Every structure is written in structure tokens, then in C-alpha cells.
DNA sequence: TCTGGGGTCCTAGGACCC
DNA sequence: TCTGGGGTCCTAGGACCC
């Protein structure tokens, strides 16, 4: 039996823990750059504010209803997530951290030592709420996909008190009939449209399509598995997370700018910032990368700019995998030089690291004489490692960006030109001493 | 005026291998 | 005249997730 625990309106709930004045009011949390709505309180949902709505479209509506919009505060949400996951790990045999606000649980054998599964699920919810302040719902079912189904229903119907368990065929049928096919895990916009065109409205009807049809129309093997899981045949196991974190197969960092940028140095400042951050994540994961991509984008909403809006360049590092920020920056600069065109207005940039692997003992050498200008010479490995370790320690202890590449420096008191908007940011209550909550 | 960021998996097609 | 079979790796693109 799988459990799925999901934080209700997670980002909004994190904010409310430290700002009770937000209770009972329509509250939304915005994406980076204060762009779109990414989390909504129940009151905001009731106003009809859709997920993903551009902020400028709903600002007036929120104001009229004494609502509040908040800039996203990932330091806070990440830390609250860690606390929630730690509580879960304490109470079940295994946890798979699926996203910042969701985890699959292994419920095997839980009933034998603590009453019914339902009672156990309620106990987990109470514990998480008491220890972190985050309200959750729990779905329980024989497959991950069905656990997602019942979790959604538990959220939708308050009379279920936050939990729903699915263990018989008649319960499965009732649950699937109650859920629109478009709300099934794995059915996005395109597939929803296709299903609707074929008259398939509920998850129950979706579970009834033929295997051949699912294979043909819902992404091959992926669609086949989806149908199996809806019918109660598990196709995905639990992949327990080590120490509450996930080892990634790719690491990226990208941002929209607060204004249009045209100067190379400004773009380079942004790319330097993002690449430094990505390299930090890479080292935190204990990996090195051997493929680097840099991309820059123009405004895709602009009427007079033809696609493609994004141009990217990828390089397999000729000197082998590395997690050295300085070496990555040297390659990154060449990629950006390749992409940059003077006179164009750019709105976003980013970097992606792939080909991740743990450091090997020796450094990979190029069999053929490398064209010397293409290779960024790798300085002494041990010294570099020490340097990176010192960098990470300082930035962890004194705050992100305390020690950083000079290309990101800005003269004067104004924010960097690539800095995005965040006009309604709450404090980092749990991760900065200066921001600790004062109760008077 | 204003429109996010960070991931996953799968498929198809081409180059190349023996 | 006649032109195989079974692989791997890489890339681009498309779908999905939160």
C-alpha cells in the first residue's frame, strides 16, 4: 500500500505559519519576478483565480477583496519542506520525497502495530501539523497513481477529514467515477483535450480504454502504465530518498530579468550568477558534470520578434567532468560569446548541467592532443577542491553570495541589472538569524 | 508596464559499430 | 539482377510533473 502526503496550498501555508494575519483572507504566492500565481489559498481559489495566472491580471481582484500577494520565498519553503519530510521519515518505514510539498510513503505493515491505517494516517497528519504548522492530506492506495487520485479527492471533499483509502474494487470504481480524467496524474493539457474529443470524461472511463489505444495515444509505454495503475496493477515502486533529498540527473538555474538587457557584460553577470549557483548545487549533491548548456531568451510575448526566442549552446567539456565553478565559468563565457548578438534585447538566461557523475579518482585525459585553446586547463585538483569547499562553507555560513565571482559585482547601491522583481517578499524566518520572528 | 523555474521520462531518427 | 541484422549513442522534441 502506498501513501501520498501532500501539503495543502503549500507555499501559502508556509507563509501563514509566520503571518497569522493572512488567515481567512485570499492569499497568493507569486513565481520569480512576481510573474505568475503559483500557490493560492482556498479563499483565492474561491475568487476564481486560476493557477498560473499572470499577476497583473488578478492584482485588482485581490485588492478589492483585501487579498494579499506575496513574492516567493524559496529559502522558507525549502526549509519548511525539510521539516515536514523529517516528520514523515520518523513515522513510516520509507519515504520517497517527490516534490517540495509531496511524498510517497511505504505503508507496509503499519497497521500491525498501530490500529487501523486510517487512524495511523490521521496521526501522521496531526504530527506534521503540530510540529511544522503545515496542513496536509493523505491518500492511500495499492498504486502510486491511485494514491494520487484519492489524495485529490481527500483535498476536494472536506467531509473526508483529509484522508481517503482505497482498498476494494467498489471503492476504486467510486473514486475513479468522481474524478475528471483531466485531473489524473500524467494527463496534461494535450492529453486532456484528446480524451475529451473521444468522449472520455472521468478517470473511470479512462481506466476502461484498451491497452492498445492507451499505447497509441497516451505516449506509448507511459500511457500503458498509466492505465495499469488506474486498474490497480502497480508499475512503479517506491524509490526511497536518502536523507530526505533527491539526487538529480540534471541541475539547472535560470531566471527572468527585472528589465531587458542588451549589454554583454550584464548578461555575463547574470550567467555567472546562475552558473555559480548551479555549481554549488552540483557540489552539494557530490557530483561533477561533463556537459554544460547556456541559453539566453528574448521576449516571447513580443509581437515584433520572430521565433526562436531561445538560443542555446552546449559543450561536452573537453577536459572531462568538473564541479569547479571557475572552470565552468571559463567554458560558460565561451558559450555565451557564441550566442550573444549585440542589439538584441534579452529577458532571461540560464544554465544546465548534465552528464552528472561522482568524481573519479583520476582525471579524464584526452587521448588526442587537444586543440589547446579549446581546453580550459584544470588546475591542481586538490587545491581546487579545497577552494570550492571553502567557498561553499563561507557562503553557507554567512549567506549566499558572500564570496562570489567579480563578474557579478555591481558598482553603487542599486541592485544588479538582471535582478528580478520581488516586491512582496516575506522574511526568511527559519534560515536567517536577522529574520527570526519577534513575538511581542 | 506586466506573462516562472526546475525537473522527469519517452520516442524518433541519424550516425556509427561489428 | 540481387544489397542484413542487431546493436549503441546522441540529439531534438514532446509530453508530463509540481
Amino acid at each position: 500500500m502506498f501513501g501520498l502526503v501532500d501539503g495543502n496550498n503549500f507555499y501559502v501555508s508556509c507563509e501563514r505559519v509566520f503571518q497569522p494575519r493572512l488567515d481567512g483572507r485570499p492569499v497568493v504566492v507569486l513565481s520569480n519576478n512576481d510573474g505568475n500565481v503559483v500557490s493560492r489559498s482556498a479563499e483565492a481559489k474561491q475568487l476564481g483565480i486560476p493557477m498560473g495566472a499572470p499577476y497583473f491580471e488578478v492584482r485588482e481582484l485581490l485588492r478589492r477583496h483585501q487579498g494579499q500577494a506575496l513574492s516567493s520565498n524559496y529559502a522558507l519553503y525549502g526549509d519548511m519542506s525539510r521539516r515536514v519530510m523529517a516528520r514523515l521519515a520518523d513515522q513510516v518505514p520509507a519515504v520517497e520525497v517527490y516534490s517540495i510539498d509531496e511524498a510517497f510513503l511505504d505503508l507496509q505493515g503499519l497497521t500491525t502495530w498501530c490500529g487501523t491505517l486510517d487512524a495511523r494516517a490521521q496521526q501522521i497528519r496531526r504530527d506534521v501539523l503540530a510540529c511544522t504548522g503545515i496542513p496536509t492530506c493523505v491518500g492511500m492506495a495499492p498504486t502510486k497513481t491511485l494514491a494520487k487520485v484519492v489524495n485529490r479527492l481527500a483535498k476536494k471533499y472536506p467531509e473526508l477529514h483529509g484522508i481517503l483509502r482505497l482498498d476494494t474494487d467498489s471503492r476504486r470504481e467510486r473514486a475513479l467515477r468522481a474524478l475528471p480524467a483531466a485531473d489524473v496524474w500524467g494527463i496534461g493539457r494535450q492529453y486532456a483535450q484528446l480524451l475529451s474529443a473521444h468522449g472520455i470524461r472521468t478517470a473511470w472511463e479512462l481506466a476502461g480504454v484498451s491497452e492498445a489505444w492507451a499505447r497509441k495515444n497516451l505516449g506509448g509505454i507511459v500511457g500503458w502504465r498509466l492505465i495499469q495503475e488506474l486498474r490497480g496493477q502497480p508499475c512503479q515502486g517506491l524509490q526511497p530518498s536518502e536523507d530526505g533529498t533527491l539526487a538529480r540527473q540534471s541541475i539547472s538555474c535560470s531566471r527572468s530579468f527585472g528589465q531587458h538587457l542588451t549589454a554583454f557584460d550584464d548578461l555575463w553577470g547574470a550567467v555567472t550568477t546562475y552558473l555559480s549557483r548551479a555549481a554549488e548545487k552540483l557540489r552539494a549533491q557530490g557530483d561533477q558534470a561533463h556537459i554544460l548548456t547556456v541559453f539566453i531568451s528574448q521576449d516571447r510575448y513580443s509581437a515584433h520578434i520572430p521565433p526562436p526566442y531561445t538560443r542555446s549552446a552546449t559543450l561536452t567539456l573537453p577536459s572531462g567532468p568538473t564541479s569547479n565553478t571557475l572552470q565552468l565559468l571559463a567554458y560558460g563565457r565561451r558559450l555565451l560569446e557564441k550566442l550573444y548578438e549585440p542589439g538584441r534585447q534579452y529577458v532571461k538566461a540560464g544554465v544546465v548541467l548534465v552528464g552528472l557523475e561522482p568524481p573519479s579518482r583520476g582525471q579524464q585525459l584526452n587521448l588526442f592532443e587537444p586543440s589547446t585553446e579549446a581546453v580550459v586547463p584544470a588546475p591542481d585538483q586538490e587545491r581546487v577542491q579545497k577552494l570550492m569547499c571553502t567557498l561553499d562553507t563561507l557562503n553557507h555560513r554567512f549567506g549566499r553570495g558572500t564570496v562570489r565571482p567579480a563578474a557579478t559585482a555591481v558598482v553603487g547601491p542599486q541592485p544588479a541589472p538582471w535582478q528580478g522583481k520581488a516586491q512582496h517578499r516575506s522574511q526568511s524566518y527559519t534560515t536567517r538569524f536577522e529574520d527570526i520572528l519577534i513575538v511581542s
Side-chain angles (χ1 to χ4, degrees):
Chain A
M1 193 69 121
F2 293 98
L4 177 66
V5 185
D6 185 323
N8 302 344
N9 319 327
F10 186 66
Y11 296 169
V12 168
S13 295
C14 290
E15 298 286 355
R16 279 179 168 170
V17 170
F18 298 95
Q19 301 190 66
R21 67 183 181 86
L22 298 175
D23 287 351
R25 295 168 55 192
V27 179
V28 300
V29 171
L30 305 173
S31 62
N32 266 326
N33 219 11
D34 291 346
N36 303 65
V37 172
V38 293
S39 181
R40 306 160 293 157
S41 71
E43 299 80 3
K45 288 176 191 170
Q46 236 159 31
L47 285 182
I49 296 175
M51 188 66 172
Y55 176 43
F56 70 88
E57 285 180 10
V58 300
R59 184 166 22 204
E60 189 47 34
L61 180 66
L62 269 174
R63 199 192 54 76
R64 276 205 308 275
H65 292 86
Q66 288 77 51
Q68 174 79 55
L70 297 161
S71 305
S72 43
N73 182 345
Y74 287 101
L76 176 63
Y77 313 149
D79 188 59
M80 294 300 282
S81 172
R82 213 178 35 72
R83 295 172 183 212
V84 169
M85 300 307 169
R87 288 316 309 152
L88 296 177
D90 220 41
Q91 301 176 74
V92 295
V95 176
E96 175 185 338
V97 177
Y98 176 67
S99 73
I100 196 165
D101 73 327
E102 269 179 77
F104 287 103
L105 309 181
D106 177 4
L107 299 179
Q108 215 67 43
L110 273 191
T111 48
T112 55
W113 53 278
C114 191
T116 69
L117 216 42
D118 288 356
R120 190 76 186 107
Q122 286 296 6
Q123 195 178 329
I124 290 172
R125 293 185 64 227
R126 278 196 305 273
D127 176 85
V128 171
L129 184 64
C131 296
T132 68
I134 301 295
T136 55
C137 287
V138 183
M140 294 166 280
T143 71
K144 282 182 165 180
T145 305
L146 286 172
K148 294 279 284 188
V149 166
V150 284
N151 177 281
R152 285 200 78 125
L153 293 173
K155 280 194 165 174
K156 193 164 160 189
Y157 298 105
E159 59 269 32
L160 296 172
H161 303 293
I163 67 164
L164 184 55
R165 182 169 46 87
L166 188 157
D167 53 2
T168 64
D169 271 343
S170 65
R171 277 189 167 208
R172 187 172 66 88
E173 178 170 348
R174 269 180 63 195
L176 293 184
R177 284 192 189 281
L179 193 76
D183 291 351
V184 171
W185 190 37
I187 300 298
R189 263 223 323 274
Q190 305 293 319
Y191 291 164
Q193 221 170 39
L194 185 110
L195 292 178
S196 147
H198 283 79
I200 297 163
R201 272 172 292 276
T202 66
W204 178 249
E205 288 166 348
L206 176 58
V209 305
S210 78
E211 292 180 7
W213 193 88
R215 257 184 194 276
K216 179 155 177 267
N217 296 290
L218 300 176
I221 189 71
V222 183
W224 182 83
R225 284 202 288 248
L226 172 61
I227 302 304
Q228 296 300 314
E229 289 234 325
L230 282 179
R231 294 176 183 168
Q233 298 297 323
C235 298
Q236 312 177 58
L238 192 93
Q239 297 175 316
S241 313
E242 311 274 326
D243 64 31
T245 58
L246 273 158
R248 303 286 181 190
Q249 296 180 41
S250 71
I251 289 173
S252 56
C253 182
S254 66
R255 295 277 182 285
S256 297
F257 310 138
Q259 54 182 301
H260 294 186
L261 299 183
T262 51
F264 179 87
D265 285 347
D266 288 345
L267 281 169
W268 175 235
V271 169
T272 302
T273 307
Y274 309 155
L275 192 47
S276 304
R277 178 74 193 115
E280 236 171 72
K281 291 192 215 174
L282 182 66
R283 293 191 293 268
Q285 182 174 309
D287 272 338
Q288 298 187 327
H290 81 260
I291 300 173
L292 167 65
T293 297
V294 173
F295 67 85
I296 47 179
S297 306
Q298 292 186 277
D299 186 1
R300 66 184 188 281
Y301 298 103
S302 165
H304 54 268
I305 300 176
Y309 302 106
T310 298
R311 281 164 212 276
S312 71
T314 298
L315 178 70
T316 300
L317 308 186
S319 47
T322 183
S323 61
N324 175 359
T325 298
L326 301 174
Q327 201 178 13
L328 288 167
L329 283 173
Y331 287 122
R333 175 150 184 136
R334 291 178 195 170
L335 292 175
L336 181 63
E337 279 167 352
K338 232 161 95 178
L339 294 170
Y340 172 76
E341 290 180 45
R344 289 191 190 270
Q345 295 200 313
Y346 296 101
V347 299
K348 178 178 177 175
V351 304
V352 186
L353 298 171
V354 291
L356 309 189
E357 54 189 69
S360 58
R361 253 165 261 123
Q363 218 213 328
Q364 175 69 48
L365 299 177
N366 199 329
L367 176 58
F368 302 102
E369 184 58 29
S371 55
T372 40
E373 20 125 44
V375 179
V376 174
D380 181 76
Q381 283 302 298
E382 215 170 297
R383 294 188 62 202
V384 166
Q385 258 181 10
K386 264 191 192 160
L387 177 62
M388 290 301 125
C389 184
T390 306
L391 191 72
D392 292 338
T393 308
L394 286 173
N395 285 333
H396 184 249
R397 183 152 163 203
F398 298 105
R400 196 166 284 165
T402 301
V403 184
R404 59 182 202 274
T408 66
V410 173
V411 183
Q414 73 274 33
W418 56 86
Q419 195 71 53
K421 275 181 297 192
Q423 295 176 342
H424 318 278
R425 173 110 78 207
S426 54
Q427 293 169 291
S428 298
Y429 304 103
T430 65
T431 51
R432 276 170 59 109
F433 278 118
E434 304 91 278
D435 287 359
I436 227 163
L437 195 66
I438 296 170
V439 180
S440 49

PDB file of all heavy atoms in Angstrom, chain A residues 23-45:
ATOM      1  N   ASP A  23      -4.590  34.532   7.681  1.00  0.00           N
ATOM      2  CA  ASP A  23      -5.656  33.523   7.803  1.00  0.00           C
ATOM      3  C   ASP A  23      -6.993  34.109   7.372  1.00  0.00           C
ATOM      4  O   ASP A  23      -7.311  35.248   7.691  1.00  0.00           O
ATOM      5  CB  ASP A  23      -5.757  33.031   9.257  1.00  0.00           C
ATOM      6  CG  ASP A  23      -4.582  32.128   9.625  1.00  0.00           C
ATOM      7  OD1 ASP A  23      -3.809  31.764   8.719  1.00  0.00           O
ATOM      8  OD2 ASP A  23      -4.449  31.807  10.821  1.00  0.00           O
ATOM      9  N   GLY A  24      -7.770  33.315   6.648  1.00  0.00           N
ATOM     10  CA  GLY A  24      -9.120  33.736   6.290  1.00  0.00           C
ATOM     11  C   GLY A  24      -9.177  34.704   5.127  1.00  0.00           C
ATOM     12  O   GLY A  24     -10.264  35.053   4.665  1.00  0.00           O
ATOM     13  N   ARG A  25      -8.015  35.164   4.639  1.00  0.00           N
ATOM     14  CA  ARG A  25      -8.017  36.107   3.519  1.00  0.00           C
ATOM     15  C   ARG A  25      -7.540  35.417   2.249  1.00  0.00           C
ATOM     16  O   ARG A  25      -6.825  34.425   2.302  1.00  0.00           O
ATOM     17  CB  ARG A  25      -7.075  37.280   3.823  1.00  0.00           C
ATOM     18  CG  ARG A  25      -7.524  38.134   4.981  1.00  0.00           C
ATOM     19  CD  ARG A  25      -6.418  39.080   5.423  1.00  0.00           C
ATOM     20  NE  ARG A  25      -5.919  39.912   4.335  1.00  0.00           N
ATOM     21  CZ  ARG A  25      -4.814  40.648   4.424  1.00  0.00           C
ATOM     22  NH1 ARG A  25      -4.087  40.627   5.534  1.00  0.00           N
ATOM     23  NH2 ARG A  25      -4.435  41.389   3.415  1.00  0.00           N
ATOM     24  N   PRO A  26      -7.940  35.964   1.080  1.00  0.00           N
ATOM     25  CA  PRO A  26      -7.387  35.417  -0.164  1.00  0.00           C
ATOM     26  C   PRO A  26      -5.894  35.747  -0.250  1.00  0.00           C
ATOM     27  O   PRO A  26      -5.524  36.917  -0.187  1.00  0.00           O
ATOM     28  CB  PRO A  26      -8.151  36.137  -1.276  1.00  0.00           C
ATOM     29  CG  PRO A  26      -9.102  37.063  -0.622  1.00  0.00           C
ATOM     30  CD  PRO A  26      -8.864  37.074   0.848  1.00  0.00           C
ATOM     31  N   VAL A  27      -5.053  34.728  -0.350  1.00  0.00           N
ATOM     32  CA  VAL A  27      -3.607  34.922  -0.410  1.00  0.00           C
ATOM     33  C   VAL A  27      -3.064  34.141  -1.598  1.00  0.00           C
ATOM     34  O   VAL A  27      -3.483  33.008  -1.833  1.00  0.00           O
ATOM     35  CB  VAL A  27      -2.927  34.405   0.881  1.00  0.00           C
ATOM     36  CG1 VAL A  27      -1.421  34.594   0.807  1.00  0.00           C
ATOM     37  CG2 VAL A  27      -3.493  35.105   2.107  1.00  0.00           C
ATOM     38  N   VAL A  28      -2.150  34.771  -2.341  1.00  0.00           N
ATOM     39  CA  VAL A  28      -1.467  34.038  -3.401  1.00  0.00           C
ATOM     40  C   VAL A  28       0.035  34.239  -3.244  1.00  0.00           C
ATOM     41  O   VAL A  28       0.479  35.256  -2.729  1.00  0.00           O
ATOM     42  CB  VAL A  28      -1.879  34.494  -4.826  1.00  0.00           C
ATOM     43  CG1 VAL A  28      -3.362  34.296  -5.047  1.00  0.00           C
ATOM     44  CG2 VAL A  28      -1.485  35.935  -5.082  1.00  0.00           C
ATOM     45  N   VAL A  29       0.796  33.246  -3.687  1.00  0.00           N
ATOM     46  CA  VAL A  29       2.248  33.385  -3.760  1.00  0.00           C
ATOM     47  C   VAL A  29       2.614  33.431  -5.236  1.00  0.00           C
ATOM     48  O   VAL A  29       2.059  32.684  -6.049  1.00  0.00           O
ATOM     49  CB  VAL A  29       2.973  32.233  -3.041  1.00  0.00           C
ATOM     50  CG1 VAL A  29       4.477  32.274  -3.316  1.00  0.00           C
ATOM     51  CG2 VAL A  29       2.706  32.294  -1.549  1.00  0.00           C
ATOM     52  N   LEU A  30       3.536  34.353  -5.572  1.00  0.00           N
ATOM     53  CA  LEU A  30       3.888  34.582  -6.968  1.00  0.00           C
ATOM     54  C   LEU A  30       5.191  33.871  -7.335  1.00  0.00           C
ATOM     55  O   LEU A  30       6.031  33.612  -6.463  1.00  0.00           O
ATOM     56  CB  LEU A  30       4.051  36.084  -7.219  1.00  0.00           C
ATOM     57  CG  LEU A  30       2.831  36.926  -6.831  1.00  0.00           C
ATOM     58  CD1 LEU A  30       3.139  38.414  -6.940  1.00  0.00           C
ATOM     59  CD2 LEU A  30       1.639  36.563  -7.713  1.00  0.00           C
ATOM     60  N   SER A  31       5.363  33.601  -8.619  1.00  0.00           N
ATOM     61  CA  SER A  31       6.605  32.999  -9.108  1.00  0.00           C
ATOM     62  C   SER A  31       7.710  34.045  -9.051  1.00  0.00           C
ATOM     63  O   SER A  31       7.475  35.205  -8.717  1.00  0.00           O
ATOM     64  CB  SER A  31       6.408  32.545 -10.543  1.00  0.00           C
ATOM     65  OG  SER A  31       6.108  33.666 -11.351  1.00  0.00           O
ATOM     66  N   ASN A  32       8.920  33.637  -9.425  1.00  0.00           N
ATOM     67  CA  ASN A  32      10.020  34.588  -9.507  1.00  0.00           C
ATOM     68  C   ASN A  32       9.621  35.780 -10.346  1.00  0.00           C
ATOM     69  O   ASN A  32       8.820  35.652 -11.264  1.00  0.00           O
ATOM     70  CB  ASN A  32      11.235  33.912 -10.136  1.00  0.00           C
ATOM     71  CG  ASN A  32      12.155  33.370  -9.067  1.00  0.00           C
ATOM     72  OD1 ASN A  32      12.282  33.959  -8.002  1.00  0.00           O
ATOM     73  ND2 ASN A  32      12.770  32.259  -9.349  1.00  0.00           N
ATOM     74  N   ASN A  33      10.241  36.917 -10.032  1.00  0.00           N
ATOM     75  CA  ASN A  33       9.966  38.127 -10.794  1.00  0.00           C
ATOM     76  C   ASN A  33       8.515  38.596 -10.607  1.00  0.00           C
ATOM     77  O   ASN A  33       8.004  39.361 -11.407  1.00  0.00           O
ATOM     78  CB  ASN A  33      10.243  37.880 -12.280  1.00  0.00           C
ATOM     79  CG  ASN A  33      10.888  39.078 -12.930  1.00  0.00           C
ATOM     80  OD1 ASN A  33      11.321  40.010 -12.240  1.00  0.00           O
ATOM     81  ND2 ASN A  33      10.945  39.091 -14.234  1.00  0.00           N
ATOM     82  N   ASP A  34       7.855  38.095  -9.581  1.00  0.00           N
ATOM     83  CA  ASP A  34       6.453  38.431  -9.314  1.00  0.00           C
ATOM     84  C   ASP A  34       5.590  38.234 -10.564  1.00  0.00           C
ATOM     85  O   ASP A  34       4.707  39.046 -10.870  1.00  0.00           O
ATOM     86  CB  ASP A  34       6.329  39.877  -8.806  1.00  0.00           C
ATOM     87  CG  ASP A  34       6.917  40.024  -7.401  1.00  0.00           C
ATOM     88  OD1 ASP A  34       7.155  38.988  -6.747  1.00  0.00           O
ATOM     89  OD2 ASP A  34       7.127  41.168  -6.961  1.00  0.00           O
ATOM     90  N   GLY A  35       5.860  37.163 -11.295  1.00  0.00           N
ATOM     91  CA  GLY A  35       5.215  36.955 -12.589  1.00  0.00           C
ATOM     92  C   GLY A  35       3.838  36.317 -12.521  1.00  0.00           C
ATOM     93  O   GLY A  35       2.846  36.946 -12.865  1.00  0.00           O
ATOM     94  N   ASN A  36       3.777  35.066 -12.073  1.00  0.00           N
ATOM     95  CA  ASN A  36       2.513  34.325 -12.098  1.00  0.00           C
ATOM     96  C   ASN A  36       2.140  33.839 -10.708  1.00  0.00           C
ATOM     97  O   ASN A  36       2.983  33.720  -9.836  1.00  0.00           O
ATOM     98  CB  ASN A  36       2.644  33.076 -12.974  1.00  0.00           C
ATOM     99  CG  ASN A  36       3.075  33.397 -14.371  1.00  0.00           C
ATOM    100  OD1 ASN A  36       4.178  33.880 -14.605  1.00  0.00           O
ATOM    101  ND2 ASN A  36       2.199  33.154 -15.303  1.00  0.00           N
ATOM    102  N   VAL A  37       0.847  33.495 -10.577  1.00  0.00           N
ATOM    103  CA  VAL A  37       0.367  32.910  -9.332  1.00  0.00           C
ATOM    104  C   VAL A  37       0.766  31.434  -9.299  1.00  0.00           C
ATOM    105  O   VAL A  37       0.439  30.690 -10.223  1.00  0.00           O
ATOM    106  CB  VAL A  37      -1.168  33.023  -9.250  1.00  0.00           C
ATOM    107  CG1 VAL A  37      -1.708  32.249  -8.065  1.00  0.00           C
ATOM    108  CG2 VAL A  37      -1.572  34.485  -9.190  1.00  0.00           C
ATOM    109  N   VAL A  38       1.487  31.008  -8.265  1.00  0.00           N
ATOM    110  CA  VAL A  38       1.880  29.604  -8.190  1.00  0.00           C
ATOM    111  C   VAL A  38       1.315  28.888  -6.971  1.00  0.00           C
ATOM    112  O   VAL A  38       1.429  27.669  -6.863  1.00  0.00           O
ATOM    113  CB  VAL A  38       3.416  29.415  -8.212  1.00  0.00           C
ATOM    114  CG1 VAL A  38       3.984  29.811  -9.554  1.00  0.00           C
ATOM    115  CG2 VAL A  38       4.090  30.201  -7.105  1.00  0.00           C
ATOM    116  N   SER A  39       0.720  29.604  -6.050  1.00  0.00           N
ATOM    117  CA  SER A  39       0.053  28.954  -4.924  1.00  0.00           C
ATOM    118  C   SER A  39      -1.096  29.847  -4.476  1.00  0.00           C
ATOM    119  O   SER A  39      -0.957  31.071  -4.443  1.00  0.00           O
ATOM    120  CB  SER A  39       1.047  28.727  -3.778  1.00  0.00           C
ATOM    121  OG  SER A  39       0.428  28.079  -2.689  1.00  0.00           O
ATOM    122  N   ARG A  40      -2.242  29.227  -4.152  1.00  0.00           N
ATOM    123  CA  ARG A  40      -3.438  30.006  -3.805  1.00  0.00           C
ATOM    124  C   ARG A  40      -4.083  29.455  -2.549  1.00  0.00           C
ATOM    125  O   ARG A  40      -4.212  28.240  -2.396  1.00  0.00           O
ATOM    126  CB  ARG A  40      -4.469  29.921  -4.945  1.00  0.00           C
ATOM    127  CG  ARG A  40      -3.950  30.307  -6.300  1.00  0.00           C
ATOM    128  CD  ARG A  40      -4.831  29.734  -7.396  1.00  0.00           C
ATOM    129  NE  ARG A  40      -4.769  28.269  -7.447  1.00  0.00           N
ATOM    130  CZ  ARG A  40      -5.696  27.488  -7.969  1.00  0.00           C
ATOM    131  NH1 ARG A  40      -6.773  28.008  -8.525  1.00  0.00           N
ATOM    132  NH2 ARG A  40      -5.558  26.174  -7.952  1.00  0.00           N
ATOM    133  N   SER A  41      -4.508  30.340  -1.678  1.00  0.00           N
ATOM    134  CA  SER A  41      -5.292  29.900  -0.526  1.00  0.00           C
ATOM    135  C   SER A  41      -6.681  29.503  -1.013  1.00  0.00           C
ATOM    136  O   SER A  41      -7.079  29.840  -2.129  1.00  0.00           O
ATOM    137  CB  SER A  41      -5.401  31.020   0.501  1.00  0.00           C
ATOM    138  OG  SER A  41      -6.241  32.047   0.007  1.00  0.00           O
ATOM    139  N   ALA A  42      -7.418  28.790  -0.163  1.00  0.00           N
ATOM    140  CA  ALA A  42      -8.785  28.384  -0.529  1.00  0.00           C
ATOM    141  C   ALA A  42      -9.618  29.605  -0.912  1.00  0.00           C
ATOM    142  O   ALA A  42     -10.394  29.567  -1.878  1.00  0.00           O
ATOM    143  CB  ALA A  42      -9.428  27.634   0.634  1.00  0.00           C
ATOM    144  N   GLU A  43      -9.419  30.714  -0.176  1.00  0.00           N
ATOM    145  CA  GLU A  43     -10.197  31.930  -0.448  1.00  0.00           C
ATOM    146  C   GLU A  43      -9.869  32.488  -1.826  1.00  0.00           C
ATOM    147  O   GLU A  43     -10.750  33.007  -2.525  1.00  0.00           O
ATOM    148  CB  GLU A  43      -9.916  32.995   0.623  1.00  0.00           C
ATOM    149  CG  GLU A  43     -10.291  32.598   2.050  1.00  0.00           C
ATOM    150  CD  GLU A  43      -9.233  31.703   2.709  1.00  0.00           C
ATOM    151  OE1 GLU A  43      -8.193  31.448   2.075  1.00  0.00           O
ATOM    152  OE2 GLU A  43      -9.464  31.260   3.856  1.00  0.00           O
ATOM    153  N   ALA A  44      -8.582  32.390  -2.210  1.00  0.00           N
ATOM    154  CA  ALA A  44      -8.179  32.893  -3.529  1.00  0.00           C
ATOM    155  C   ALA A  44      -8.755  32.011  -4.629  1.00  0.00           C
ATOM    156  O   ALA A  44      -9.171  32.494  -5.679  1.00  0.00           O
ATOM    157  CB  ALA A  44      -6.650  32.941  -3.631  1.00  0.00           C
ATOM    158  N   LYS A  45      -8.793  30.699  -4.375  1.00  0.00           N
ATOM    159  CA  LYS A  45      -9.397  29.786  -5.351  1.00  0.00           C
ATOM    160  C   LYS A  45     -10.872  30.127  -5.534  1.00  0.00           C
ATOM    161  O   LYS A  45     -11.407  30.088  -6.638  1.00  0.00           O
ATOM    162  CB  LYS A  45      -9.244  28.333  -4.899  1.00  0.00           C
ATOM    163  CG  LYS A  45      -7.813  27.817  -4.998  1.00  0.00           C
ATOM    164  CD  LYS A  45      -7.681  26.405  -4.444  1.00  0.00           C
ATOM    165  CE  LYS A  45      -6.210  26.020  -4.303  1.00  0.00           C
ATOM    166  NZ  LYS A  45      -6.001  24.777  -3.566  1.00  0.00           N
TER     167      LYS A  45
END
